[in-house]
């Protein structure tokens, strides 16, 4: 009897709960937080399958994404019930998502018309080169004054253009006014709020600011930009703030609960790290690596290859806040590549052990420019390179070089950010899946020569979405007033090597980056059956085979060392 009494009184003690859907590039999560303490109560995670139909193409199935959301919700609700927590205490749901990834669906059938084209995808490289060659002075920053972004394969407009030009179903649906475009947030919210039966077609300012169709000053779709990419405005979602009630859940155990927060994943992490002041910054280590610095109510344009983006707008009547962003395409993805493509590790945890066993890359440098180079270079023709190999190099050194690569890339964007703002960061707040790798965190402090601070609750992206949802007008169960924000416990990694050694290694890294540039141009040579092949570029063929032989050799040597 006492047990049940304790459990039920415990249940009452918790107060209002807020949930978050965190739909990332490699997995989907559903997490439930206590709105009074920001404590994570329960969560569930499901991996997402990526497909690579051709070289440089990256796709995901929108239905699998949606199914994973439902599965995570159901499992988390089951776990909460087992913990004797009443799910009717969940008062709101926030959505955070991989940004730029592009989906087009049929509003009458509710069916996606093609796979989601993932942000990393490179199929639009020739489109991008064509667009840049048409600009005055072949300037990739031609639209930056409105969008804050360079013309790049990374953003949604060129992906949407590709779908309209190359997928007949998409073209037909646009012509017959049945097509809806959205980033992943729009697809999820539309489906959860009813889909073809009255689903809400919306996005928030942070996700919209990553499409290249959005004017970051007027905070709305820009007719001139839409005309530039020749995209009909009626297929675009309505742009809303990051914190307001968009609609209600229309099915499942959480039926009737408002969806009231929406932030692109990197903006959500900025909110979850409480970076509300001008000058505060965070770095998220996920599939890619994203450093955002809050610049307050004014968009700041970068002279050093960073993006200007909307950080958040936490309410319909609240001002928008902006951020400078350094985006790196490949961070955690390099771990997956070492595991799935080369087989030199079986699990991501093994990478840390392998690298720690040598404690140095022994002069080996790895530039993982699999999708070209993002910030600060914006060089789509770059490709991955492993250099400085000797007969002594083995897989442990390659593992160490892969971790160093993540740190060097972060250093490059931090340098750019310090130059743009004129005020160097004195420490770096970090989050994301890779921060559980302690060797990586120590290396990062060593390479930056400043302390790295990691919160003990790593799910800051989901926390940010929950904060936006819980603080929305009409929900108001989560206060964002500075005095009400809960204290965050964290761990600090201090630099442990001398700055001279750090500078030497960084200079060598820069040299390796130069060698990765201008590798692949888009004048492909077709082979007999009209398909283009990576081996039609003779140097690239030699390079890939040579690299593979070296790595196989390195693996062989490692096996005998």
């Amino acid at each position: 009897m006492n047990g049940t009494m304790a459990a039920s009184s415990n249940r009452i003690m918790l107060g209002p709960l807020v949930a978050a859907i965190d739909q990332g590039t490699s997995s989907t999560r559903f997490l439930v937080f206590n709105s009074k303490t920001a404590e994570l109560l329960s969560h569930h995670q499901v991996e997402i399958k990526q497909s690579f139909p051709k070289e440089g193409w990256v796709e995901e199935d929108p239905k699998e994404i949606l199914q994973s959301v439902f599965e995570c919700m159901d499992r988390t609700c089951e776990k909460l019930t087992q913990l004797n927590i009443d799910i009717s205490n969940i008062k709101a749901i926030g959505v955070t998502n991989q940004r730029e990834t592009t989906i087009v669906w049929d509003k009458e059938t509710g069916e996606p018309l093609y796979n989601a084209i993932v942000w990393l995808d490179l199929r639009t490289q020739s489109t991008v080169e064509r667009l840049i060659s048409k600009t005055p002075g072949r300037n990739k920053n031609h639209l930056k004054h409105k969008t804050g972004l360079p013309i790049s394969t990374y953003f949604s407009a060129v992906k949407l253009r590709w779908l309209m030009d190359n997928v007949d179903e998409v073209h037909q649906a646009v012509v017959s006014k049945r097509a809806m475009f959205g980033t992943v947030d729009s697809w999820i919210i539309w489906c959860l709020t009813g889909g073809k039966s009255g689903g809400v077609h919306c996005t928030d300012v942070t996700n919209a600011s990553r499409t290249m169709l959005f004017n970051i000053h007027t905070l709305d779709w820009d007719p001139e930009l839409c005309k530039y990419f020749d995209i009909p405005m009626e297929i675009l979602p309505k742009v809303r703030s990051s914190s307001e009630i968009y609609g209600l859940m229309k099915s499942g155990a959480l039926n009737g609960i408002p969806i009231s927060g929406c932030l692109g994943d990197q903006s959500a992490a900025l909110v979850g790290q409480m970076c509300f002041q001008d000058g505060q910054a965070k770095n998220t280590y996920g599939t890619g690596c994203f450093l955002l610095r809050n610049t307050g109510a004014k968009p700041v344009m970068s002279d050093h290859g960073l993006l200007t983006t909307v950080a958040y707008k936490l309410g319909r009547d609240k001002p928008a806040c902006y951020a400078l962003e350094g985006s790196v395409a490949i961070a955690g993805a390099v771990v997956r590549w070492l595991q799935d493509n080369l087989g030199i590790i079986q699990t991501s945890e093994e990478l840390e052990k392998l690298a720690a066993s040598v404690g140095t890359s022994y002069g080996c440098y790895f530039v993982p420019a699999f999708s070209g180079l993002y910030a600060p270079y914006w060089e789509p023709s770059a490709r991955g390179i492993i250099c400085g190999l000797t007969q002594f190099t083995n897989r442990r050194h390659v593992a160490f070089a892969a971790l160093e690569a993540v740190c060097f890339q972060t250093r490059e964007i931090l340098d750019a950010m310090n130059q743009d703002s004129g005020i160097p960061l004195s420490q770096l707040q970090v989050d994301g899946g890779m921060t559980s790798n302690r060797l990586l965190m120590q290396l990062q402090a060593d390479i930056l020569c400043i302390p790295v601070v990691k919160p003990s609750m790593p799910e800051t992206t989901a926390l940010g979405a929950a904060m936006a949802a819980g603080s929305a007008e009409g929900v108001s169960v989560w206060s964002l007033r500075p005095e009400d924000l809960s204290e965050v416990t964290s761990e600090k990694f201090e630099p442990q090597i001398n700055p001279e050694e750090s500078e030497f290694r960084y200079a060598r890294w820069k040299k390796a980056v130069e060698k990765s540039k201008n590798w692949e141009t888009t004048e492909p040579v077709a082979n007999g059956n009209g398909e283009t092949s990576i081996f039609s570029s003779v140097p690239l063929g030699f390079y890939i085979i040579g690299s593979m032989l070296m790595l196989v050799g390195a693996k062989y040597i490692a096996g005998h060392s």
Side-chain angles (χ1 to χ4, degrees):
M1 177 69 189
N2 285 355
T4 21
M5 283 292 289
S8 59
S9 64
N10 193 9
R11 229 166 27 179
I12 298 158
M13 291 280 290
L14 279 176
L17 312 180
V18 179
I21 296 163
D22 180 355
Q23 205 299 300
T25 315
S26 53
S27 70
T28 300
R29 297 199 276 280
F30 187 71
L31 307 94
V32 177
F33 297 92
N34 179 338
S35 67
K36 295 295 170 245
T37 61
E39 179 197 358
L40 175 60
L41 299 174
S42 185
H43 74 289
H44 190 75
Q45 176 169 347
V46 172
E47 296 287 311
I48 295 289
K49 204 164 107 285
Q50 294 179 356
S51 57
F52 309 95
K54 291 185 183 178
E55 187 212 351
W57 292 30
V58 190
E59 298 180 0
E60 292 179 353
D61 176 357
K63 291 171 92 165
E64 185 194 339
I65 289 174
L66 187 64
Q67 202 40 56
S68 71
V69 170
F70 285 126
E71 188 182 335
C72 288
M73 285 179 153
D74 291 347
R75 292 289 92 79
T76 306
C77 287
E78 285 168 17
K79 290 177 186 179
L80 287 170
T81 307
Q82 282 162 9
L83 292 168
N84 217 352
I85 295 169
D86 190 348
I87 59 171
S88 69
N89 278 347
I90 298 174
K91 301 302 179 201
I93 299 169
V95 175
T96 179
N97 56 290
Q98 50 170 319
R99 304 167 305 167
E100 299 96 12
T101 295
T102 300
I103 305 175
V104 179
W105 66 94
D106 184 318
K107 63 181 172 195
E108 287 169 19
T109 64
E111 292 292 309
L113 296 168
Y114 191 77
N115 274 344
I117 300 185
V118 176
W119 57 276
L120 280 166
D121 185 279
L122 284 180
R123 76 189 66 189
T124 54
Q125 194 178 330
S126 53
T127 314
V128 165
E129 285 175 12
R130 197 172 66 243
L131 287 168
I132 292 172
S133 69
K134 288 197 311 202
T135 66
R138 299 180 60 87
N139 176 13
K140 63 175 172 250
N141 291 321
H142 180 59
L143 307 173
K144 194 173 169 179
H145 63 290
K146 284 188 171 194
T147 62
L149 313 171
I151 299 171
S152 159
T153 57
Y154 181 20
F155 308 109
S156 315
V158 284
K159 301 179 196 294
L160 177 54
R161 188 64 260 155
W162 186 91
L163 286 166
M164 288 165 62
D165 291 340
N166 294 281
V167 179
D168 199 41
E169 291 81 351
V170 172
H171 175 74
Q172 296 299 339
V174 170
V175 170
S176 61
K177 307 244 186 292
R178 285 177 296 113
M180 281 184 163
F181 152 78
T183 40
V184 173
D185 54 309
S186 301
W187 166 244
I188 290 174
I189 292 172
W190 186 78
C191 292
L192 295 183
T193 55
K196 59 184 180 182
S197 317
V200 178
H201 189 213
C202 69
T203 187
D204 88 299
V205 287
T206 68
N207 280 295
S209 77
R210 313 298 292 189
T211 58
M212 294 201 88
L213 302 171
F214 181 80
N215 185 317
I216 60 173
H217 308 283
T218 63
L219 297 177
D220 210 345
W221 302 121
D222 188 290
E224 278 180 28
L225 290 169
C226 292
K227 205 159 146 190
Y228 182 85
F229 290 103
D230 195 18
I231 284 163
M233 291 182 79
E234 65 267 16
I235 73 173
L236 304 177
K238 184 171 167 36
V239 182
R240 314 270 290 263
S241 79
S242 313
S243 177
E244 60 178 89
I245 296 174
Y246 311 111
L248 305 180
M249 283 286 295
K250 285 287 189 288
S251 67
L254 302 176
N255 187 30
I257 293 174
I259 299 175
S260 55
C262 179
L263 289 156
D265 53 7
Q266 302 314 319
S267 285
L270 195 72
V271 171
Q273 286 263 34
M274 325 274 177
C275 294
F276 294 126
Q277 302 300 315
D278 186 345
Q280 287 184 303
K282 65 88 207 168
N283 197 28
T284 300
Y285 299 78
T287 300
C289 207
F290 302 89
L291 177 57
L292 271 73
R293 181 172 189 148
N294 188 330
T295 61
K298 281 203 171 63
V300 174
M301 291 295 163
S302 168
D303 297 321
H304 299 95
L306 302 178
L307 311 176
T308 303
T309 200
V310 180
Y312 52 80
K313 183 182 190 303
L314 294 174
R316 246 182 296 206
D317 309 321
K318 298 279 193 320
C321 270
Y322 295 87
L324 273 176
E325 170 173 328
S327 331
V328 168
I330 305 290
V334 77
V335 183
R336 206 160 170 173
W337 184 81
L338 290 172
Q339 186 177 320
D340 298 350
N341 296 33
L342 294 194
I344 69 171
I345 51 169
Q346 259 52 65
T347 64
S348 51
E349 292 73 35
E350 202 183 321
L351 181 67
E352 183 174 2
K353 284 199 199 86
L354 202 60
S357 69
V358 282
T360 169
S361 68
Y362 205 78
C364 166
Y365 288 82
F366 185 170
V367 183
F370 303 155
S371 296
L373 287 165
Y374 280 24
Y377 302 102
W378 299 105
E379 177 82 66
S381 60
R383 285 297 176 272
I385 180 172
I386 299 174
C387 55
L389 300 173
T390 66
Q391 278 179 305
F392 182 72
T393 313
N394 63 39
R395 67 193 186 120
R396 297 183 180 94
H397 301 118
V398 174
F400 196 93
L403 291 181
E404 275 194 321
V406 176
C407 302
F408 285 132
Q409 292 183 107
T410 299
R411 163 92 193 251
E412 289 188 310
I413 52 182
L414 188 71
D415 281 0
M417 209 159 265
N418 287 341
Q419 284 174 295
D420 274 324
S421 69
I423 309 158
L425 275 185
S426 55
Q427 59 173 35
L428 184 64
Q429 289 177 236
V430 300
D431 57 77
M434 278 188 100
T435 58
S436 61
N437 184 323
R438 301 181 63 83
L439 174 60
L440 178 74
M441 295 295 95
Q442 186 55 54
L443 273 175
Q444 188 67 84
D446 290 346
I447 286 167
L448 295 179
C449 306
I450 58 172
V452 166
V453 180
K454 172 194 161 188
S456 41
M457 202 288 289
E459 301 289 355
T460 49
T461 301
L463 177 61
M467 288 163 67
S471 63
E473 194 184 334
V475 177
S476 303
V477 297
W478 201 310
S479 167
L480 297 187
R481 290 201 310 256
E483 62 272 21
D484 294 335
L485 293 174
S486 42
E487 254 325 291
V488 180
T489 53
S490 55
E491 183 178 3
K492 201 178 227 186
F493 295 82
E494 299 279 355
Q496 288 177 356
I497 63 171
N498 67 43
E500 290 73 37
E501 188 194 336
S502 184
E503 291 306 321
F504 172 77
R505 278 157 56 182
Y506 185 45
R508 292 300 282 275
W509 158 264
K510 291 272 216 196
K511 199 169 159 185
V513 169
E514 287 310 310
K515 302 218 179 300
S516 76
K517 288 181 181 175
N518 284 322
W519 193 272
E520 189 59 276
T521 50
T522 54
E523 281 64 69
V525 189
N527 59 22
N529 57 11
E531 284 288 302
T532 57
S533 155
I534 51 171
F535 297 107
S536 59
S537 149
V538 176
L540 184 57
F542 280 139
Y543 166 73
I544 288 179
I545 291 167
S547 297
M548 288 304 174
L549 287 172
M550 280 180 184
L551 283 162
V552 168
K555 194 171 171 185
Y556 176 80
I557 293 162
H560 290 70
S561 62

